[in-house]
Amino acid sequence: MQQIIETVLADTQPAALAIIVNVEGSSYRKEGTWMLIQESGVQIGMISGGCLENDLHSHATQLFRTGKATTVQYDLSSEDDLGWGRGAGCNGVVTVWIRDIDEDFRGVLDILHKQMQANEPAYFLQSMTDINQYGCITSDGKRFGKIQSNIMLNFIDVIPYQRIAKQMNFGEEMVYFQLIWPQPHLYIIGAGLDARPLAQLSGNIGYAVHLLDWRSNICNEMHFPTAASIQIGDVKKLLSNIKFSSLDSVILMTHDFQLDFEIGRYLLECKLLYLGILGSKKRTKRLFDGTLPNSVHSPVGLSIGADGPEEIAVSIVAELIAVRRGKMI
């Protein structure tokens, strides 16, 4: 989503935004999924597994420069329905809202982008009955755009990265609202060989990846070309300059027991979404005087029998996703 918003703000060519606003039954993607369709033919994001994109593109091209919107419903519930190629068989009905992106709408996206840059969530709202009624509500309660003044949405009790995207009646008006979260940040402490596939894979799924290490010969842009930042020096001092939030994830993988001992205790006092420590559970317990804290994931990653840096990276990223999506038991 951040890539979509940044693209819209940087490239003002005619474009349309498609959002899944309702799903009945099962589908490949859920409510709150965005896709950008530009006049040049570029598409960012996917609404389905590929079976609906061409049809959505056709609808989008009719909206460019019009300031209008449309709602399209796809019934994929019939197993023998060949309407979308060779039959999707998703057993669901997907409703997609598509709207032309004009300058006023870009203004609302700019506010959302500023919230994301500040590492703060915000609600996006769009009336399903009046295209001109849309806007956002920031985490400090400010309202932007044209939205009903009596709409009250909660920031207090939401779980970090909780998916909130649905339609609801406010008076006589049906409104779609979605909680937009900032890009997740992952801090990898230790830039060994095993950190490289982890940084690459986590970056591929949308994390802003930050590397911290004391060795410039291995912690550099050549080995971590997609990293959001690379910090070299005394790791303990580097950490003291970072203001961690409850949306941040950290993986400690220095392979240095004494350093892990000192850093691990410091990180334990930080309010993090995820703290994983590479190594056996026995080793990690030794870091904390024989007891594994509940907030520490060790051994890091899901237990899938992973072997080698690449597979271990897959298990770690799978656990990061599970925690972010609230799927960890």
Side-chain angles (χ1 to χ4, degrees):
M1 184 177 300
Q2 178 155 327
Q3 183 185 4
I4 289 176
I5 293 177
E6 290 178 347
T7 299
V8 169
L9 297 178
D11 186 347
T12 59
Q13 70 170 288
L17 178 65
I19 305 175
I20 296 180
V21 295
N22 191 57
V23 173
E24 298 176 16
S26 62
S27 69
Y28 183 78
R29 305 297 303 273
K30 303 300 182 184
E31 292 93 341
T33 300
W34 289 23
M35 183 176 80
L36 178 68
I37 304 165
Q38 295 182 299
E39 187 178 44
S40 63
V42 172
Q43 297 181 8
I44 300 176
M46 294 180 67
I47 289 293
S48 71
C51 50
L52 304 180
E53 275 68 17
N54 286 340
D55 189 71
L56 286 168
H57 185 272
S58 297
H59 286 285
T61 56
Q62 298 176 37
L63 295 173
F64 294 152
R65 301 184 183 87
T66 67
K68 297 181 179 180
T70 188
T71 301
V72 186
Q73 189 174 84
Y74 299 98
D75 187 348
L76 309 175
S77 59
S78 177
E79 293 184 1
D80 59 356
D81 178 15
L82 300 180
W84 312 111
R86 299 185 58 83
C90 293
N91 199 33
V93 179
V94 180
T95 303
V96 182
W97 168 266
I98 315 172
R99 69 160 302 136
D100 177 49
I101 299 177
D102 56 18
E103 287 307 306
D104 288 340
F105 193 77
R106 277 190 172 86
V108 169
L109 293 182
D110 185 51
I111 298 299
L112 290 174
H113 184 251
K114 287 182 170 62
Q115 283 292 107
M116 296 169 75
Q117 292 296 100
N119 211 33
E120 293 288 342
Y123 277 102
F124 166 75
L125 301 91
Q126 171 66 65
S127 169
M128 295 290 99
T129 54
D130 183 352
I131 181 179
N132 296 313
Q133 296 293 316
Y134 61 85
C136 63
I137 301 176
T138 61
S139 55
D140 58 0
K142 294 180 180 178
R143 296 164 179 261
F144 299 88
K146 300 176 182 178
I147 54 177
Q148 291 188 32
S149 60
N150 63 339
I151 294 180
M152 302 298 293
L153 297 173
N154 179 36
F155 284 96
I156 299 176
D157 299 325
V158 295
I159 301 169
Y161 292 106
Q162 178 182 1
R163 181 186 289 270
I164 299 178
K166 58 183 177 180
Q167 300 180 75
M168 183 176 292
N169 284 314
F170 290 91
E172 298 181 354
E173 187 174 12
M174 176 70 76
V175 176
Y176 169 79
F177 62 93
Q178 177 179 352
L179 184 55
I180 307 295
W181 291 98
Q183 181 181 21
H185 290 258
L186 172 63
Y187 295 83
I188 301 176
I189 305 174
L193 289 173
D194 50 355
R196 298 178 192 178
L198 175 59
Q200 180 68 46
L201 186 55
S202 53
N204 287 345
I205 65 167
Y207 279 87
V209 180
H210 308 272
L211 272 296
L212 291 82
D213 199 284
W214 61 97
R215 300 160 293 186
S216 59
N217 61 316
I218 64 171
C219 189
N220 51 52
E221 291 185 5
M222 181 177 69
H223 297 311
F224 300 95
T226 61
S229 72
I230 295 175
Q231 303 181 48
I232 308 295
D234 185 319
V235 177
K236 290 176 289 184
K237 290 183 179 179
L238 294 175
L239 286 172
S240 66
N241 293 324
I242 298 174
K243 294 182 179 180
F244 289 111
S245 80
S246 59
L247 301 179
D248 295 331
S249 298
V250 178
I251 297 175
L252 184 55
M253 48 192 310
T254 70
H255 299 279
D256 183 314
F257 183 84
Q258 186 58 39
L259 190 56
D260 283 357
F261 178 86
E262 298 173 8
I263 295 175
R265 290 167 181 262
Y266 173 81
L267 292 172
L268 195 61
E269 300 302 316
C270 301
K271 188 179 180 181
L272 300 168
L273 178 65
Y274 177 97
L275 173 57
I277 300 179
L278 188 71
S280 68
K281 183 175 292 186
K282 181 178 180 180
R283 178 185 184 274
T284 303
K285 284 183 176 180
R286 287 174 56 205
L287 297 174
F288 301 101
D289 300 324
T291 302
L292 182 65
N294 293 330
S295 60
V296 175
H297 294 263
S298 180
V300 66
L302 295 184
S303 180
I304 59 174
D307 182 35
E310 289 77 15
E311 291 187 4
I312 291 173
V314 170
S315 73
I316 295 174
V317 169
E319 188 169 64
L320 286 170
I321 294 172
V323 170
R324 187 155 57 97
R325 301 300 187 201
K327 299 298 183 181
M328 289 295 292
I329 300 176

